[in-house]
Amino acid sequence: MIELKNISKKFGSRQLFSDTNLHFEGGKIYALIGTSGCGKTTLLRMLMGLEIPDSGTITPLQNYRKAAVFQEDRLCENLSAMQNVLMVVHNHSKNDLLDQLKEDFKQVGLDDIYQKVSTLSGGMKRRVAILRAMYANADIIFFDEPLKGLDDTTKEKVMLFIKERIKGKTVFW
């Protein structure tokens, strides 16, 4: 269980959280919904340990493997799409891994897996970031606007890909 107790967070004069208490059970999917600027990204950043609340406590998550798809893609631009994904892969049989990766790249509509990330379009980079998060073998996955920049057809492909890989994981979307 992930618990936030009496969390307060303020940016300048803007109060995003005030004595807020939240509980999240493991293995479930949580969709954070609200208007722009209401604190969704800040909540994700606090859960990831990237942002510190002004007061209150959050269950420490250091014993959990975490992965994230941020609003920005945060890829290694000088590496290929494949290299960006491989950098998070652990405990996979190498024989099966490359075939599976190639299949997954195709499933999300990416064909040139050895192309340098710096030459990819925004939507292509987004899909590489998603693939990397899915291959990180995380217990908790954080998605911050993961489908931005994708057309409807590609969104559908990517959602089908994600859906199969998040079963049993704790997900914040």
Side-chain angles (χ1 to χ4, degrees):
M1 163 134 15
I2 301 168
E3 196 167 28
L4 290 82
K5 291 183 184 177
N6 306 316
I7 295 296
S8 292
K9 184 66 179 175
K10 191 176 190 179
F11 288 102
S13 63
R14 185 177 172 109
Q15 187 79 43
L16 291 177
F17 298 94
S18 179
D19 203 29
T20 301
N21 295 293
L22 298 168
H23 306 273
F24 302 103
E25 292 180 37
K28 293 192 174 187
I29 299 169
Y30 296 94
L32 308 178
I33 300 170
T35 59
S36 181
C38 74
K40 299 178 301 289
T41 295
T42 300
L43 176 59
L44 289 179
R45 290 179 54 80
M46 286 192 297
L47 288 167
M48 286 186 269
L50 301 174
E51 191 78 48
I52 306 297
D54 297 332
S55 62
T57 60
I58 300 174
T59 304
L61 300 179
Q62 69 263 22
N63 294 329
Y64 295 94
R65 295 172 305 209
K66 298 176 280 294
V69 177
F70 295 93
Q71 285 183 15
E72 319 79 32
D73 298 314
R74 299 190 183 187
L75 299 170
C76 296
E77 295 280 325
N78 60 328
L79 299 178
S80 71
M82 177 68 88
Q83 288 170 317
N84 267 275
V85 175
L86 285 173
M87 66 191 325
V88 301
V89 174
H90 303 285
N91 303 325
H92 278 85
S93 162
K94 291 199 183 214
N95 295 337
D96 298 333
L97 176 62
L98 288 179
D99 289 338
Q100 183 62 53
L101 270 167
K102 287 175 185 176
E103 186 177 312
D104 289 345
F105 270 93
K106 278 185 185 172
Q107 186 175 343
V108 298
L110 291 171
D111 295 322
D112 191 355
I113 60 179
Y114 297 108
Q115 188 173 347
K116 230 181 197 186
V117 166
S118 61
T119 65
L120 299 177
S121 71
M124 293 168 109
K125 288 179 181 182
R126 203 83 193 121
R127 287 175 273 167
V128 173
I130 290 167
L131 279 162
R132 186 176 61 188
M134 295 297 90
Y135 269 89
N137 194 28
D139 304 308
I140 304 172
I141 306 171
F142 301 93
F143 290 101
D144 196 355
E145 298 184 30
L147 303 176
K148 78 174 186 186
L150 301 181
D151 60 71
D152 290 341
T153 303
T154 304
K155 280 181 188 177
E156 190 175 321
K157 286 180 187 178
V158 171
M159 284 303 299
L160 287 171
F161 173 79
I162 291 172
K163 185 179 175 185
E164 289 303 310
R165 283 151 184 86
I166 60 174
K167 290 179 181 172
K169 298 181 183 293
T170 304
V171 176
F172 293 93
W173 187 282

